[in-house]
Amino acid sequence: MFGLGKKKVDFHPVFAGDVVTFDDVPDAVFQDRMLGEGYAVVPQEVDTLDVLAPVDGTVSKVFRTLHAFAMKTEDGLDVLVHIGLGTVELGGKGFTELASKGQVVKAGDPVIRVDAAAVRAAGLNLVTPVVFTKKKQVQSVDVTEGRANPSDVCCKVKLA
């Protein structure tokens, strides 16, 4: 339907940390897969966090408050990276845009820099979901949980 075929796409953590399924994200929107299936990464305790592209593709949107960005993979898969929970309330404070809409990025390229210490000081959780937002594009999602670095593959998506 989308020309996606039965191809598999490898995804990487958006930063070093612990990869978890949405069942372990303390937010019903993600637990109930309201936005789609995916995985999340819990960062290590660092003061500054560069949120990286999880896959090769094009940045299709950087939200005004910089708490999230969207990408389209080379295969046409739509992806949303939502940095933390409740972070939209910060209005962009503590977030710096490193890649802009329309920019082609490779997995591991930095997209948003976060003052993680300030976000934690505001009482917000930095668990970062990576969501495959168009359910009809995805046949299956296989998440490898546990500690991972940005060079590791932590999720394999079979396209519909």
Side-chain angles (χ1 to χ4, degrees):
M1 180 177 208
F2 293 96
L4 299 177
K6 299 294 181 197
K7 185 171 170 51
K8 286 189 177 180
V9 181
D10 291 342
F11 281 80
H12 302 268
V14 291
F15 41 70
D18 293 313
V19 176
V20 298
T21 67
F22 281 175
D23 294 330
D24 294 322
V25 175
D27 185 307
V29 170
F30 298 104
Q31 286 182 354
D32 295 343
R33 277 82 171 160
M34 290 179 202
L35 299 177
E37 184 58 84
Y39 64 97
V41 186
V42 179
Q44 298 170 349
E45 289 290 319
V46 294
D47 290 337
T48 303
L49 192 63
D50 280 355
V51 182
L52 312 173
V55 66
D56 295 350
T58 302
V59 177
S60 53
K61 179 176 180 133
V62 176
F63 286 70
R64 183 180 48 78
T65 54
L66 305 179
H67 76 287
F69 64 91
M71 293 182 62
K72 187 175 284 289
T73 70
E74 295 170 338
D75 299 300
L77 180 63
D78 290 299
V79 181
L80 172 71
V81 177
H82 192 285
I83 305 163
L85 303 177
T87 50
V88 67
E89 297 168 13
L90 296 175
K93 186 174 184 222
F95 294 79
T96 304
E97 182 177 338
L98 302 176
S100 54
K101 179 180 177 180
Q103 188 169 334
V104 175
V105 293
K106 295 285 185 192
D109 286 351
V111 180
I112 302 285
R113 179 165 292 143
V114 181
D115 181 342
V119 172
R120 282 194 303 275
L124 300 174
N125 188 332
L126 275 168
V127 61
T128 298
V130 177
V131 188
F132 312 116
T133 56
K134 293 194 177 166
K135 295 175 187 178
K136 57 189 169 188
Q137 292 180 328
V138 177
Q139 181 175 330
S140 65
V141 175
D142 181 25
V143 178
T144 302
E145 294 184 79
R147 181 62 49 107
N149 290 309
S151 61
D152 298 329
V153 172
C154 66
C155 181
K156 292 182 181 286
V157 176
K158 187 171 183 182
L159 304 177

